[in-house]
Amino acid sequence: MNWYKDAAYGSPPEAKISPSGTFIAIYNSFPIKDQLKNMSSPYASRVFQWMPDQPGKPWAVEVNLLKKDNRLVDAIEGLGVSVRHLLGGSSQPDMVQTSPAQSQQPSQQSSGAQHITNWILGKIISLDRERSGNPVVLAQIYTQFGPLGWVWKNKEGGMGIVQDEQDIYDHVEFIPNRENPLSDPDPSVLFTKFEEMFPETEDEDDEEAVKGRIPEKKISVYQKEIESTFADTNNDIIINALAGTGKTTTLRHLASFKPPNEKWLYLVFGKQNQKEAIEKFPPGVEVYTSHAFLGSRVLRPSSEAGVIPETSLDSRKLQRLIDEEVDSFPKNILFAAKIAISKICSLAKNNAANPNSPGIEAQLLQIIKKYRVDMDQFISQNTGGIDYVSQVITEAAEILRLSMPGSGPTSDYEGKRDHDDTLWYATLDDSLIWPVYNVVLADEVQDFNKCQTIMLQKLSERGARIIAVGDPNQAIYMFRGADSDAFQNVQSVVTGSQNGGSSHSIPVNYRCGKAIIDYVNQNTHVNELQAGRDFDGEVHEGKPLYDAMDDLFSEWETNGRRFNSQTALIGRTNRPLVECALQFLRNNVDFKIVGKDMSKELVDIIKKISASVAVRQGKSGRDISRATIDIRSFAMEMQHYVADMTMEWTGKASKHDELQELTDRSESLGDILSFLSDNGYSDPINRIKISHTGELIDYLRKKFSGADEDRFEQENKGRDPTTFVTLTSAHRSKGLEFKRVFIVDKDNFPSPRAQSEDELKQEANAWYVALTRAQDNLNILEPPPRSNS
């Protein structure tokens, strides 16, 4: 039973007592029998009996059973059915209004009373477009026995109960966001607010506008050319769409021409893109991420047909395999070997390597070279004269064999796959069952790995017309397995298809002001961007980072804790972003981190230092992992640890990067400790007192953890963007845009660690991505001078 489907339709349920007074019939309800069975009541399994011969097909409820169990009465009343008055009691449940549903539990009241939190507002997320986007209000229900579940209402008066809280989070987008939803004791107030926030308006440019279609007054000549090719030929189409040029808008425009009887597929990059596309694309277009599509539309039907073993997701499958199977290395390199094997296997899967092919070990060696997997620690000069590189490769090949469908050292592994496997499995067997589509739309193809390119090839072979869009200049995910030549490889699929291929470009940027476009064309490898906005914008260079930060603090205070416009700081590396976050913390400025958890690296070094001190003190076993250091002593212990590691690692090529990371992290920690020390080892803004490293770790996780792009957009949707500043890396900023952008470490573009031609190309792309996030105001700051210490 999908509750969110009922949330879109239905009338209020009602109850009537039989003439004999022996049972109550509940009409217009949905089956809650299974949910009631999960309750502890001994009567729950006997309560409802189906009565198909009665008008409205009601549920029958025995009155004597209801009288024996108040929880059943509470459940039915929570469904919106007034039954208590039919038992001789009040028909209206007692209501206790509290804060939004997820934040507080109401206090217990008298026996039999039902308590409900304030209603909170949301939009339904569903693959069914008639339901998706509809408003719904929800609240938690409590009885004296504890939480009963959630109750929902829709605008039409339909109601129901949901006991699985995750089901709500999967199918409701809270408004304006999950962290701060709109709430009110009166649902009608929330529905009115929804109508005000999302008014139904007609397209002023075209009274007969089709959903998703670009009005004639707004479509560019480049998009019109693509439309003509789509309409006048049967060619597959590849579109090179530069930053801010409307890649998804163009695909949505083409989808508006979909004939009702055709079957279309739209492949999107992430889950948030999927949610948005479900609402914005016309009916009849299936919307999936590559993982979701292959898992549900290829692997599942193939396993049901007996072509491939049935598998379910286990995100830790690879790590569990490696931990159990890799144990032949010396203890001093065993952990490093497991990390290397994990990385090699993941990259091999992304590159569609088949472990049963005769040359698999040679393939793995090429992957190691292409992605520069660090193998220095396994060569003879660092391992006492024995070269373990070939052993690492051999072990990786064996782990890949054990990862194949239906394989594994035990039956526990045979029915499992991890996220890499979902794409990989689709490339290993030519007899898989592939669905047939008339048209397949593919977005962000520059970020495809080899498995995804093969996926498009298979769909094309099944007769699909491929429409692919991407920007090769925004290919920046090679480090996590994307194909550095993904766009060109997809282009080969398109141009070599049985339909014939057509290549197009869209250079008109509708995001950035003219001055920003000019700066990008003059200062990146991309020189073809055209300005689509009738606005100059601003570009500023040369201001020192610290001066810019002071200006932001002054602006924040002058405006009453607001900025003049939406603001983001973008860096190539995390360290300057951590330093900026600390400065914002000191000045009571709210900040949000998008991307990598900045606390993770800092926590890691704290744990290593604490463990080293514990070993020095003679501790062992679990006492080492649980060890903490007094906060007033930690700075000195950190200095000793860094000095020891510097002495041990200096001159070793394999430890160069690790030593630089240790130095960066310890300096960031030193800044944070300095701030805490100045305030008596406390955070005066958040009123947090820190006495030892365990509490320091908790504090860092609270202040410096990051959200992914999807969660960031969802959590801050509807929030005034001038009331916080966003901190993000160039890689994580992709897909986002901001009114004002500050580039905080231009000296790290390109990264000093980039060496190969492919890596340097990706670094140039990251610079281009960072610059094109700015809409109105771009600031290229001068980083502070590097310390020589």
Side-chain angles (χ1 to χ4, degrees):
M1 182 64 192
N2 290 328
W3 73 269
Y4 60 93
K5 291 185 178 179
D6 294 272
Y9 303 109
S11 56
E14 58 179 329
K16 297 179 181 178
I17 195 165
S18 66
S20 64
T22 58
F23 70 88
I24 293 173
I26 301 178
Y27 297 80
N28 302 323
S29 174
F30 73 94
I32 62 171
K33 183 177 180 180
D34 291 340
Q35 294 171 330
L36 290 172
K37 280 183 178 179
N38 294 328
M39 297 164 48
S40 59
S41 166
Y43 306 108
S45 62
R46 299 166 51 198
V47 170
F48 295 102
Q49 299 296 320
W50 189 240
M51 297 176 63
D53 57 328
Q54 296 291 319
K57 298 182 179 181
W59 293 97
V61 186
E62 295 183 38
V63 172
N64 65 329
L65 292 181
L66 288 176
K67 289 181 177 179
K68 290 180 181 179
D69 194 337
N70 277 325
R71 293 194 69 190
L72 297 176
V73 179
D74 291 339
I76 296 168
E77 291 269 347
L79 181 61
V81 187
S82 298
V83 295
R84 190 169 282 116
H85 69 295
L86 300 176
L87 304 174
S90 169
S91 65
Q92 296 298 324
D94 296 326
M95 298 280 187
V96 178
Q97 297 168 7
T98 67
S99 57
Q102 67 270 42
S103 60
Q104 293 187 29
Q105 175 174 325
S107 60
Q108 304 295 345
Q109 302 292 322
S110 60
S111 176
Q114 168 189 299
H115 321 297
I116 191 168
T117 58
N118 275 0
W119 297 94
I120 58 176
L121 180 61
K123 284 197 297 184
I124 297 172
I125 302 168
S126 170
L127 287 174
D128 185 334
R129 286 171 180 77
E130 291 187 37
R131 298 179 173 94
S132 190
N134 286 354
V136 65
V137 294
L138 305 106
Q140 257 182 321
I141 307 173
Y142 299 88
T143 71
Q144 68 180 80
F145 303 100
L148 181 64
W150 288 67
V151 61
W152 58 260
K153 288 185 179 182
N154 63 22
K155 189 178 177 182
E156 291 74 27
M159 297 184 67
I161 287 179
V162 193
Q163 288 191 320
D164 185 354
E165 188 164 306
Q166 187 58 47
D167 196 27
I168 294 172
Y169 295 144
D170 287 343
H171 296 112
V172 173
E173 177 184 338
F174 291 115
I175 298 173
N177 56 64
R178 180 172 165 181
E179 301 299 321
N180 185 34
L182 290 175
S183 64
D184 198 277
D186 184 354
S188 64
V189 172
L190 295 177
F191 287 125
T192 299
K193 289 183 178 179
F194 181 90
E195 291 175 354
E196 294 172 351
M197 296 175 69
F198 303 97
E200 295 184 5
T201 58
E202 296 184 357
D203 195 316
E204 296 178 357
D205 295 300
D206 186 352
E207 293 182 0
E208 298 181 356
V210 178
K211 182 175 183 180
R213 188 167 300 174
I214 304 171
E216 286 295 326
K217 294 180 180 179
K218 294 183 179 180
I219 193 168
S220 72
V221 293
Y222 304 97
Q223 291 168 323
K224 194 66 180 177
E225 180 182 296
I226 294 167
E227 177 194 312
S228 298
T229 299
F230 179 78
D232 300 338
T233 75
N234 194 42
N235 286 353
D236 288 4
I237 298 174
I238 181 83
I239 305 168
N240 184 340
L242 299 181
T245 59
K247 293 188 292 293
T248 304
T249 300
T250 302
L251 291 180
R252 191 166 65 242
H253 176 71
L254 296 181
S256 72
F257 294 97
K258 174 188 173 297
N261 61 333
E262 289 193 353
K263 188 176 180 181
W264 285 39
L265 170 67
Y266 176 32
L267 293 168
V268 298
F269 182 72
K271 190 173 181 179
Q272 184 64 24
N273 304 108
Q274 181 186 22
K275 292 177 181 178
E276 293 174 355
I278 287 170
E279 291 186 14
K280 294 180 179 179
F281 272 64
V285 178
E286 295 180 22
V287 183
Y288 287 100
T289 63
S290 295
H291 285 83
F293 168 71
L294 291 173
S296 63
R297 302 290 280 119
V298 177
L299 296 184
R300 184 184 299 163
S302 297
S303 66
E304 291 173 350
V307 176
I308 190 173
E310 182 179 357
T311 53
S312 60
L313 279 174
D314 176 0
S315 61
R316 296 196 67 255
K317 175 188 172 182
L318 179 62
Q319 274 59 50
R320 291 195 298 116
L321 262 178
I322 292 172
D323 283 340
E324 292 182 17
E325 297 299 312
V326 177
D327 58 5
S328 59
F329 293 88
K331 287 185 177 180
N332 64 320
I333 63 169
L334 178 59
F335 180 71
K338 289 182 177 182
I339 295 297
I341 290 169
S342 176
K343 187 169 185 179
I344 293 167
C345 287
S346 180
L347 292 169
K349 292 176 182 180
N350 290 329
N351 281 271
N354 189 328
N356 289 331
S357 65
I360 182 59
E361 293 192 3
Q363 288 183 53
L364 296 184
L365 182 58
Q366 289 301 312
I367 287 171
I368 288 169
K369 292 179 179 178
K370 178 178 180 179
Y371 293 93
R372 291 208 310 122
V373 180
D374 183 10
M375 302 295 283
D376 286 351
Q377 53 206 318
F378 308 117
I379 62 178
S380 57
Q381 69 184 53
N382 293 320
T383 58
I386 301 177
D387 193 328
Y388 288 98
V389 172
S390 60
Q391 185 176 336
V392 169
I393 295 174
T394 300
E395 293 271 15
E398 180 59 23
I399 292 297
L400 283 173
R401 293 186 189 100
L402 293 174
S403 299
M404 293 183 71
S407 301
T410 65
S411 59
D412 176 50
Y413 289 97
E414 294 174 5
K416 302 293 184 183
R417 71 176 190 274
D418 62 25
H419 290 285
D420 287 338
D421 290 340
T422 302
L423 303 184
W424 184 48
Y425 283 3
T427 71
L428 296 177
D429 194 329
D430 289 335
S431 60
L432 292 178
I433 299 172
W434 289 83
V436 176
Y437 291 94
N438 297 95
V439 175
V440 172
L441 308 170
D443 209 346
E444 303 286 3
V445 298
Q446 79 279 347
D447 295 323
F448 272 22
N449 61 29
K450 189 171 182 179
C451 296
Q452 290 167 299
T453 302
I454 293 174
M455 170 186 66
L456 281 189
Q457 180 70 53
K458 295 289 187 181
L459 289 167
S460 176
E461 291 170 358
R462 292 286 285 161
R465 184 182 186 185
I466 306 297
I467 313 294
V469 63
D471 180 359
N473 302 297
Q474 292 189 69
I476 56 176
Y477 292 131
M478 178 182 168
F479 70 94
R480 65 186 193 192
D483 188 342
S484 58
D485 297 319
F487 186 90
Q488 290 78 7
N489 291 335
V490 171
Q491 190 169 31
S492 296
V493 171
V494 169
T495 56
S497 75
Q498 57 191 352
N499 298 323
S502 178
S503 299
H504 296 266
S505 63
I506 309 178
V508 182
N509 177 292
Y510 298 99
R511 175 187 299 145
C512 310
K514 295 176 183 177
I516 299 172
I517 297 295
D518 290 342
Y519 186 88
V520 171
N521 284 333
Q522 295 167 14
N523 292 276
T524 75
H525 61 298
V526 179
N527 55 16
E528 302 164 1
L529 268 181
Q530 299 176 21
R533 293 180 64 189
D534 188 20
F535 173 74
D536 287 336
E538 299 177 27
V539 177
H540 303 281
E541 293 184 275
K543 178 172 284 191
L545 171 62
Y546 294 150
D547 289 350
M549 293 290 286
D550 287 340
D551 290 344
L552 287 174
F553 302 147
S554 176
E555 181 182 306
W556 177 263
E557 290 299 325
T558 302
N559 293 340
R561 297 178 56 78
R562 270 183 169 79
F563 292 112
N564 291 336
S565 65
Q566 179 191 28
T567 301
L569 272 60
I570 298 178
R572 173 61 185 86
T573 59
N574 276 336
R575 189 188 167 204
L577 295 173
V578 171
E579 293 175 356
C580 291
L582 182 60
Q583 293 296 324
F584 287 127
L585 190 69
R586 286 173 171 165
N587 286 271
N588 198 18
V589 176
D590 191 14
F591 62 87
K592 303 293 180 184
I593 296 173
V594 179
K596 189 173 181 180
D597 184 350
M598 295 183 187
S599 70
K600 196 171 183 179
E601 297 173 345
L602 302 178
V603 167
D604 180 61
I605 187 175
I606 294 171
K607 288 183 175 180
K608 288 180 178 178
I609 294 169
S610 299
S612 70
V613 172
V615 170
R616 191 175 71 226
Q617 294 174 345
K619 296 179 180 179
S620 61
R622 298 180 72 179
D623 290 338
I624 294 178
S625 61
R626 294 175 176 176
T628 61
I629 302 173
D630 182 272
I631 194 64
R632 299 177 185 277
S633 305
F634 178 69
M636 184 63 70
E637 294 292 354
M638 182 170 67
Q639 290 179 20
H640 290 320
Y641 179 83
V642 173
D644 291 344
M645 292 299 100
T646 301
M647 185 177 297
E648 180 179 341
W649 291 345
T650 297
K652 295 183 178 180
S654 62
K655 294 294 183 179
H656 178 269
D657 289 349
E658 198 169 344
L659 182 59
Q660 185 60 53
E661 288 175 357
L662 175 63
T663 302
D664 290 347
R665 295 175 193 178
S666 62
E667 289 180 359
S668 296
L669 267 178
D671 291 339
I672 294 171
L673 289 170
S674 176
F675 162 66
L676 295 172
S677 175
D678 292 344
N679 291 281
Y681 291 100
S682 66
D683 179 342
I685 300 168
N686 296 283
R687 299 180 181 178
I688 297 174
K689 187 75 175 177
I690 299 171
S691 59
H692 56 75
T693 50
E695 293 176 346
L696 177 60
I697 287 173
D698 291 340
Y699 173 71
L700 293 175
R701 284 173 173 163
K702 179 177 181 179
K703 292 303 299 180
F704 294 93
S705 62
D708 62 28
E709 299 92 320
D710 289 349
R711 185 158 67 88
F712 169 77
E713 288 197 329
Q714 186 174 355
E715 290 179 353
N716 295 289
K717 192 173 184 178
R719 183 178 176 185
D720 183 348
T722 67
T723 57
F724 63 93
V725 60
T726 302
L727 304 172
T728 187
S729 67
H731 286 80
R732 294 295 189 168
S733 71
K734 187 169 174 286
L736 302 176
E737 59 185 22
F738 308 92
K739 294 292 186 182
R740 177 171 58 177
V741 165
F742 293 86
I743 307 296
V744 298
D745 61 344
K746 70 172 187 177
D747 56 331
N748 281 320
F749 291 92
S751 168
R753 298 176 189 174
Q755 296 180 12
S756 70
E757 182 180 347
D758 281 343
E759 287 174 328
L760 290 170
K761 183 178 179 181
Q762 296 257 314
E763 289 295 317
N765 289 349
W767 173 243
Y768 162 69
V769 167
L771 297 181
T772 53
R773 299 312 96 192
Q775 294 174 292
D776 301 342
N777 189 293
L778 174 63
N779 300 270
I780 316 297
L781 303 179
E782 288 296 324
R786 291 182 178 271
S787 171
N788 294 322
S789 58

